[in-house]
Amino acid sequence: MKALFISIALVISASVFSQNQTEQTKIKDYLDSTLQNKNTLLISNALQNVTASDIYQSELLFSTSYQDGHNILQLRYFIKTANKLIAFKDRNDLLASSAFIKSLNAKKFKLKTEDDGVAFQSLLKLLDNERGLGFFIEDNTWYFNRETRFGETMAYVVTTANNGQISTIVYENDLKKTLPETLLQSGETIDFTGSGALISKKDSAFMHQYLLDNVNYEFEITPLNFYSLNTISTLSINKCNLKVTEGEEGNSFTNNIPFMLISNNDEYIKTSIDGLLEMPIFLNSLQKKYTLKTEDDARLFQYVLDDLSPVSKFDIELKTFYKKDNMWFFVREKRFDDLKGFIVLIDSKNKVNHIEYTTISEESIIRLKMKDPSFKVDYKFKLAQPTTNKVTLQKGEGLNIEVSFDEAVVNASGCWILTRRDGSDSVTYAGNNLHSPYKHDITGMSLEGNHHVFEYFLLKNETMNAEDALSTITVEVEIK
């Protein structure tokens, strides 16, 4: 019997291991699929008279988040000569190569005049994005100063034959040479950009595969298990690391790129845990049987919050939850005088249909209620002063007009108020926190003539047309 139990345990253990391995393989396949290749045509043979070759930059990229930029895993420069792509680790190696020198000769380019120097300086700009500080010449050697940093001069040293044909190009990171007081053609360039040839699919595929074949990377995946989360959700959270090793054996270094991967069934997203609870992938992962109905349900949900979004030690005493109408409130912290936390909306069957981290206030409650198309909104936009819409004034007498409204509803809707005087826009009242009543003081001196019409329009955010107003108040003024 003991042997039977051991056999069963081994089978279960092997099954779990197999499932974990299967899931890890799926995750790695997904991550591999998110590697991107970006190819850029830096120099087009057709758009300049210096080199007879096209020169490309190819990058292998990886993003650690669905909304952030990219990390460069591999970057190479390619020169296309005789319909063949040759790769280089950096642009300086490319410029120094025999392939590039031959491409100059094939174009019959020579360095003999200042105009030739400007043309070569323009080509360098396409590679390093530096305007260039100019150049100077000593015998058959040209010095192209690219930039000066902390007293060090970075330059290309180009040697030529007597006829100007280029023989060598060497990049100096710190040129040990006294520069003349004035450099030739400083910053002068020729525009070699334009609608050059597109990169062919064949060349793009070649460069992409070259980068993949010459990068040493590995995805490390560590599942994070939260008992509370597993109780209500099918979501998986994985702590990942992209390890990229560069250099030769015995002289290599490793670059680690950490990130988080969230998965639910076959849906994957690279993101941090911060903000995860408000994302659709979390909402979709809530198990069909889970409802947020009782205090025990809410307590379990609070355990999930504690695991994924723990409160600070200063806010532990504030932590609580309660229900009001179709909303559950989970208080997590206090900022200045505002309580903040998660507001969770539930439907008639107590299923969660919306989660949001926000200020717990009447304004937030109304804003969330307004997500329901059937919710009836009353802005209570009314004339408070004067008590009538038709006013008679003596000449020189002023008027104070006050318009009241429901602050919470108006601010939750992002509304603003437009004032018109006699058909022309005159005053706006807008902002994130409008206060009621809105006061409009009109001096007697400004009331010239016998009749005036003041109109007040309550407008939705980004709505500029008064004809689309949510509510309108008109006050007519007669002057005796």
Side-chain angles (χ1 to χ4, degrees), residues 9-21:
L10 288 173
V11 169
I12 293 173
S13 177
S15 174
V16 171
F17 177 78
S18 175
Q19 288 175 347
N20 289 341
Q21 287 296 101

Side-chain angles (χ1 to χ4, degrees), residues 254-280:
T254 299
N255 183 26
N256 292 292
I257 306 171
F259 62 98
M260 302 296 293
L261 181 71
I262 314 299
S263 62
N264 180 43
N265 298 322
D266 290 327
E267 181 183 3
Y268 299 92
I269 184 169
K270 289 177 282 188
T271 185
S272 65
I273 293 180
D274 294 338
L276 168 62
L277 295 164
E278 299 175 82
M279 298 178 69

Side-chain angles (χ1 to χ4, degrees), residues 175-212:
L175 182 65
K176 302 298 184 182
K177 195 168 186 64
T178 303
L179 303 182
E181 292 185 5
T182 304
L183 295 176
L184 300 174
Q185 303 294 338
S186 176
E188 292 297 322
T189 57
I190 302 168
D191 185 6
F192 286 153
T193 60
S195 54
L198 298 175
I199 305 175
S200 70
K201 290 183 179 180
K202 179 182 177 182
D203 288 344
S204 291
F206 177 88
M207 290 187 284
H208 187 192
Q209 191 59 50
Y210 183 93
L211 296 185
L212 290 173

Side-chain angles (χ1 to χ4, degrees), residues 374-422:
S374 63
F375 180 71
K376 294 183 179 180
V377 181
D378 183 4
Y379 298 97
K380 298 179 182 178
F381 193 69
K382 299 175 181 178
L383 180 65
Q385 291 291 337
T387 57
T388 176
N389 293 81
K390 293 186 177 182
V391 180
T392 301
L393 299 176
Q394 298 294 325
K395 187 173 182 180
E397 184 180 0
L399 177 64
N400 297 323
I401 297 177
E402 294 184 6
V403 175
S404 64
F405 52 87
D406 188 317
E407 288 185 7
V409 176
V410 166
N411 287 314
S413 303
C415 295
W416 62 290
I417 297 171
L418 170 66
T419 300
R420 274 185 180 172
R421 172 175 171 156
D422 299 331

Side-chain angles (χ1 to χ4, degrees), residues 283-312:
L283 202 61
N284 295 335
S285 76
L286 294 178
Q287 296 179 1
K288 292 181 179 180
K289 64 182 180 181
Y290 178 71
T291 57
L292 189 50
K293 182 179 181 180
T294 67
E295 283 199 4
D296 286 342
D297 298 331
R299 190 169 291 107
L300 177 57
F301 192 84
Q302 184 170 251
Y303 291 152
V304 174
L305 300 183
D306 291 342
D307 281 338
L308 301 184
S309 182
V311 299
S312 73

Side-chain angles (χ1 to χ4, degrees), residues 11 112 125 216 223 250 260 295 322 328 341 357 365 395 446 466:
V11 169
K112 298 176 68 175
K125 180 186 176 184
N216 182 3
M260 302 296 293
E295 283 199 4
Y322 59 92
W328 283 90
Y357 190 86
I365 293 171
K395 187 173 182 180
S446 66

Side-chain angles (χ1 to χ4, degrees), residues 60-313:
L60 190 64
L61 307 171
F62 180 76
S63 175
T64 59
S65 171
Y66 72 101
Q67 58 186 4
D68 289 341
H70 294 89
N71 298 89
I72 300 176
L73 306 190
Q74 184 81 292
L75 185 149
R76 289 290 185 270
Y77 294 89
F78 290 83
I79 184 170
K80 188 174 183 180
T81 178
N83 209 29
K84 179 182 177 182
L85 287 167
I86 304 172
F88 296 90
K89 284 189 175 182
D90 61 54
R91 54 178 175 258
N92 298 330
D93 288 346
L94 186 151
L95 290 172
S97 69
S98 60
F100 182 71
I101 301 294
K102 288 177 181 178
S103 76
L104 300 177
N105 296 336
K107 202 81 168 184
K108 297 181 179 180
F109 177 78
K110 296 178 181 179
L111 274 177
K112 298 176 68 175
T113 68
E114 283 191 31
D115 288 343
D116 297 333
V118 171
F120 192 81
Q121 183 168 259
S122 303
L123 193 81
L124 295 177
K125 180 186 176 184
L126 296 177
L127 288 170
D128 62 13
N129 279 323
E130 299 287 346
R131 286 194 64 196
L133 302 179
F135 54 88
F136 65 98
I137 313 162
E138 289 184 354
D139 299 326
N140 289 340
T141 303
W142 296 60
Y143 298 87
F144 290 87
N145 188 349
R146 305 311 294 156
E147 62 175 319
T148 300
R149 191 188 307 153
F150 305 116
E152 295 180 349
T153 297
M154 282 131 271
Y156 285 100
V157 181
V158 182
T159 58
T160 71
N162 290 332
N163 64 354
Q165 184 170 301
I166 294 175
S167 53
T168 65
I169 302 172
V170 177
Y171 179 74
E172 295 286 353
N173 198 45
D174 183 14
L175 182 65
K176 302 298 184 182
K177 195 168 186 64
T178 303
L179 303 182
E181 292 185 5
T182 304
L183 295 176
L184 300 174
Q185 303 294 338
S186 176
E188 292 297 322
T189 57
I190 302 168
D191 185 6
F192 286 153
T193 60
S195 54
L198 298 175
I199 305 175
S200 70
K201 290 183 179 180
K202 179 182 177 182
D203 288 344
S204 291
F206 177 88
M207 290 187 284
H208 187 192
Q209 191 59 50
Y210 183 93
L211 296 185
L212 290 173
D213 291 342
N214 288 274
V215 65
N216 182 3
Y217 74 91
E218 178 187 1
F219 287 110
E220 299 173 327
I221 302 162
T222 305
L224 301 181
N225 291 315
F226 300 100
Y227 174 78
S228 60
L229 179 66
N230 295 338
T231 304
I232 71 170
S233 166
T234 56
L235 201 73
S236 296
I237 301 178
N238 298 280
K239 182 180 179 181
C240 302
N241 180 55
L242 173 55
K243 185 168 71 173
V244 183
T245 303
E246 299 183 51
E248 304 298 330
E249 186 175 350
N251 187 30
S252 64
F253 64 93
T254 299
N255 183 26
N256 292 292
I257 306 171
F259 62 98
M260 302 296 293
L261 181 71
I262 314 299
S263 62
N264 180 43
N265 298 322
D266 290 327
E267 181 183 3
Y268 299 92
I269 184 169
K270 289 177 282 188
T271 185
S272 65
I273 293 180
D274 294 338
L276 168 62
L277 295 164
E278 299 175 82
M279 298 178 69
I281 192 171
F282 177 73
L283 202 61
N284 295 335
S285 76
L286 294 178
Q287 296 179 1
K288 292 181 179 180
K289 64 182 180 181
Y290 178 71
T291 57
L292 189 50
K293 182 179 181 180
T294 67
E295 283 199 4
D296 286 342
D297 298 331
R299 190 169 291 107
L300 177 57
F301 192 84
Q302 184 170 251
Y303 291 152
V304 174
L305 300 183
D306 291 342
D307 281 338
L308 301 184
S309 182
V311 299
S312 73
K313 62 181 180 179

